[in-house]
Amino acid sequence: MSETNLQVLLASRPQGWPTESNFSIVETPLPEPRAGEVLVRNHYLSLDPYMRWRMNDAKSYATPVALGEVMVGRTVGEVVTSNNSKFKPGDKVIGYLGWQLSGVSDGANLQVVADSKLPLSAYLGVLGMPGATAWIGLMDICAPKAGQTVLVTAASGAVGSVVGQLAKIHGARVVGIAGGRDKCRYVIEELGFDACIDYKAGTLRPDINAATPTGIDCLFENVGGEIFDSLLPRMNAFSRIAICGLISEYNSEPYPLKNIGSVLINRIKIQGFIVSDHMERWPLAHQELREHLTSGRIKYRESVAHGLRAAPAALIGLLKGQNFGKQLVKLI
Ligand SMILES: NC(=O)c1ccc[n+]([C@@H]2O[C@H](COP(=O)([O-])OP(=O)(O)OC[C@H]3O[C@@H](n4cnc5c(N)ncnc54)[C@H](OP(=O)(O)O)[C@@H]3O)[C@@H](O)[C@H]2O)c1
């Protein structure tokens, strides 16, 4: 193993869209694990939309990344050296070691992979944070009944694809919104959604009306902005909205909603949520998702960038919708 480490640091805070110059890539000495610590060689880094928020110095649910610090991120990898009795060299582990090839952990945020027969990368997608997000937002907040209509935005992505497939398993009629014909074809033909609206086609409102003839009972919102505003008038009485993400607004001013009156008129229950507030639900969520995955009821797709140096461009691409499925960086 190389004696040096490679890290991506936050070099400056973006104003609006991030650029590659907001990051710096540095070679550093390989860290030495102390007593109680382990050294992990990361195999995959997960890229996620929340990382854009961590680049801002603004009040949020989590602390911003400091300038000059390693960018935060979930990782899967292998224990190389262990000074901690809970881990041994060769263990495959899920961690939060950030944008770097190797990292040291005291074990607190490190979990040994339960089932090594599944691809390691799945623990950053369906069996990781995005899968838990989909499960908690759908099952605990939206709680759809069989026959109801569930609409999910960013439908082909890491979270949205799991939301739609889970909702189908639970008997709902599922409509997705995605950018482009290929993504829409995928969610219908591969993932089994009932309908998909291509918001880039230029006919968003009539397409929403056509795809939701009996209105929407559960909206799993990943995008925000004009798409969210256009969906509000289609919500049924006593429907639910899980606000999971607002990705269309992460690099711009907030969108001024025009249809918020629908929340009152339709007595909509609307709840924002952050998956890390619900850690007690992760084991059940992952157990069910693992069963669906191994039985083939849930499928997933990945976009893989190669090498740590490709991470900044891949995060910028994710924010622009250039990913198709869970965005990862392969590090080995
Ligand atoms: N609340 C939580 O705890 C939590 C946890 C995880 C994720 N999230 C949120 O869930 C959402 C999805 O995350 P993910 O990891 O699954 O990402 P993802 O869907 O795999 O990738 C992001 C997708 O967002 C879509 N998008 C980007 N800009 C857009 C725009 N202006 N208008 C419409 N769609 C746009 C793109 O798909 P198209 O090509 O289809 O536009 C892009 O592929 C994000 O908002 C994220 O912040 C929240």
Side-chain angles (χ1 to χ4, degrees):
M1 195 170 134
S2 156
E3 289 304 306
T4 56
N5 196 10
L6 197 65
Q7 302 179 314
V8 180
L9 314 180
L10 180 62
S12 58
R13 301 201 184 277
Q15 306 296 326
W17 282 92
T19 64
E20 290 193 51
S21 68
N22 295 128
F23 303 90
S24 61
I25 301 176
V26 292
E27 270 188 37
T28 54
L30 195 65
E32 282 276 343
R34 292 172 303 191
E37 293 183 336
V38 295
L39 174 68
V40 179
R41 177 65 165 92
N42 294 324
H43 289 198
Y44 285 96
L45 165 69
S46 173
L47 294 181
D48 297 273
Y50 76 84
M51 292 168 173
R52 174 63 189 85
W53 278 18
R54 298 289 171 86
M55 298 172 80
N56 293 341
D57 188 13
K59 181 176 180 289
S60 184
Y61 61 90
T63 323
V65 177
L67 291 179
E69 290 291 311
V70 176
M71 281 290 294
V72 289
R74 288 177 192 275
T75 48
V76 286
E78 183 173 334
V79 173
V80 179
T81 313
S82 177
N83 298 327
N84 182 320
S85 58
K86 292 189 187 131
F87 305 92
K88 58 180 187 315
D91 279 351
K92 300 289 191 301
V93 286
I94 310 159
Y96 195 58
L97 295 173
W99 294 30
Q100 55 183 342
L101 294 187
S102 298
V104 158
S105 166
D106 64 4
N109 278 329
L110 220 55
Q111 191 190 339
V112 177
V113 167
D115 183 350
S116 57
K117 290 191 286 298
L118 293 166
L120 206 49
S121 60
Y123 292 91
L124 296 177
V126 190
L127 301 179
M129 183 276 283
T133 304
W135 191 96
I136 290 163
L138 186 75
M139 306 304 288
D140 289 348
I141 298 176
C142 266
K145 296 189 175 66
Q148 292 192 329
T149 295
V150 171
L151 191 142
V152 57
T153 54
S156 72
V159 175
S161 60
V162 178
V163 170
Q165 293 178 89
L166 257 185
K168 280 302 290 179
I169 290 168
H170 288 271
R173 178 171 183 277
V174 177
V175 180
I177 297 189
R181 273 191 291 190
D182 284 352
K183 288 186 176 180
C184 268
R185 193 178 307 119
Y186 168 71
V187 303
I188 293 175
E189 293 178 7
E190 299 288 326
L191 305 184
F193 285 38
D194 297 285
C196 182
I197 298 157
D198 170 11
Y199 72 87
K200 292 183 175 168
T203 47
L204 181 63
R205 283 165 205 243
D207 289 351
I208 291 172
N209 293 346
T212 59
T214 58
I216 302 167
D217 300 293
C218 160
L219 169 57
F220 193 108
E221 184 54 57
N222 285 321
V223 166
E226 187 184 356
I227 294 177
F228 177 51
D229 205 31
S230 306
L231 292 166
L232 283 171
R234 294 302 292 172
M235 299 305 296
N236 288 332
F238 302 104
S239 55
R240 286 84 58 204
I241 301 178
I243 302 281
C244 175
L246 302 168
I247 194 167
S248 70
E249 305 182 34
Y250 292 176
N251 297 294
S252 60
E253 292 297 310
Y255 182 87
L257 292 175
K258 300 180 188 72
N259 296 311
I260 196 73
S262 176
V263 175
L264 177 61
I265 294 163
N266 292 305
R267 291 84 89 204
I268 301 170
K269 189 171 173 184
I270 179 165
Q271 186 180 333
F273 74 104
I274 297 297
V275 66
S276 51
D277 291 331
H278 304 270
M279 296 307 293
E280 78 290 352
R281 301 295 275 161
W282 288 43
L284 178 61
H286 285 152
Q287 182 194 321
E288 288 190 14
L289 291 171
R290 190 178 302 114
E291 285 165 17
H292 293 317
L293 189 64
T294 47
S295 66
R297 285 190 294 271
I298 281 190
K299 298 177 186 158
Y300 67 92
R301 181 175 173 138
E302 297 173 339
S303 279
V304 183
H306 291 270
L308 188 63
R309 291 178 191 278
L315 178 66
I316 296 165
L318 166 79
L319 296 168
K320 292 180 176 164
Q322 289 165 1
N323 63 312
F324 195 159
K326 174 67 208 151
Q327 181 67 57
L328 300 164
V329 183
K330 196 169 188 308
L331 301 174
I332 207 158

